[in-house]
């Protein structure tokens, strides 16, 4: 797969798994992608959640997208991004209508934007199961 095909796959399969560390215990949970392109892999969480606290302590993470017999694992370091324009884009996006409840409850200030940049992707399929792994550098631009 080429970089653009990787971004397309992620953007078409927005559910992914995020692995973080909680001390010496790995933690994995499902997340929802906002967007992926050469500027980074963008998603969000609440500052009140355990996952956010884990990322503050150790920003190294792995994302796993899996659909139609293809698995893409992305390894890198997460950045917390404070960008009001992106924040409003997220809140106003049709796929994020559920965030309106955050605004209604007055907790919208707990939304934290996370971006993984300068990362590596590994592609896995059953056909390539025993092939040598060749990481692909993605998301190399600064957003």
């Amino acid at each position: 797969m080429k970089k653009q095909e990787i971004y397309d796959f992620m953007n078409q399969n927005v559910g992914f798994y995020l692995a973080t560390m909680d001390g010496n215990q790995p933690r994995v949970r499902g997340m929802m992608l906002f967007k992926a392109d050469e500027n980074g892999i963008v998603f969000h969480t609440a500052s009140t959640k355990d996952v956010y606290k884990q990322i503050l302590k150790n920003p190294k993470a792995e994302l796993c997208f899996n659909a139609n017999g293809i698995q893409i694992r992305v390894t890198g370091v997460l950045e917390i991004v404070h960008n009001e324009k992106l924040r409003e884009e997220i809140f106003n996006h049709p796929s994020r209508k559920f965030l309106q409840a955050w605004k209604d409850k007055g907790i919208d200030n707990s939304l934290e934007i996370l971006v993984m940049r300068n990362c590596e992707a590994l592609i896995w399929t059953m056909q390539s199961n025993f092939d040598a792994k060749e990481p692909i550098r993605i998301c190399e631009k600064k957003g």
Side-chain angles (χ1 to χ4, degrees):
M1 268 187 177
K2 296 186 190 297
K3 285 182 191 181
Q4 189 57 51
E5 293 171 309
I6 293 169
Y7 302 140
D8 292 346
F9 182 89
M10 289 188 242
N11 286 311
Q12 291 165 11
N13 302 285
V14 297
F16 69 94
Y17 292 94
L18 168 65
T20 59
M21 292 298 291
D22 183 11
N24 65 352
Q25 178 64 51
R27 302 286 183 201
V28 178
R29 82 280 291 150
M31 300 293 281
M32 185 177 168
L33 177 74
F34 182 65
K35 66 180 176 180
D37 59 27
E38 67 276 356
N39 295 309
I41 301 168
V42 180
F43 59 103
H44 52 82
T45 192
S47 60
T48 57
K49 294 193 171 220
D50 290 341
V51 65
Y52 181 72
K53 294 169 188 153
Q54 292 159 13
I55 291 165
L56 286 176
K57 288 182 181 174
N58 183 351
K60 291 181 182 178
E62 186 163 277
L63 318 177
C64 183
F65 294 82
N66 191 358
N68 305 316
I70 300 170
Q71 179 176 273
I72 299 177
R73 290 179 18 227
V74 183
T75 303
V77 177
L78 293 170
E79 298 175 25
I80 298 163
V81 173
H82 301 282
N83 178 318
E84 198 55 41
K85 183 179 175 188
L86 179 57
R87 181 182 172 78
E88 284 307 308
E89 182 183 342
I90 290 170
F91 269 104
N92 294 318
H93 196 273
S95 70
R96 299 305 194 266
K97 290 184 184 201
F98 64 91
L99 290 176
Q100 186 58 48
W102 292 31
K103 284 190 172 188
D104 294 345
K105 291 179 182 178
I107 59 170
D108 53 310
N109 62 341
S110 71
L111 180 91
E112 295 291 345
I113 302 169
L114 303 165
V115 180
M116 186 178 279
R117 295 189 178 103
N118 298 316
C119 42
E120 291 185 342
L122 286 173
I123 314 300
W124 178 92
T125 66
M126 192 59 87
Q127 295 78 21
S128 67
N129 193 27
F130 296 104
D131 295 351
K133 293 179 175 49
E134 295 187 32
I136 301 166
R137 295 284 307 160
I138 61 171
C139 306
E140 296 179 300
K141 288 186 181 177
K142 283 286 184 188

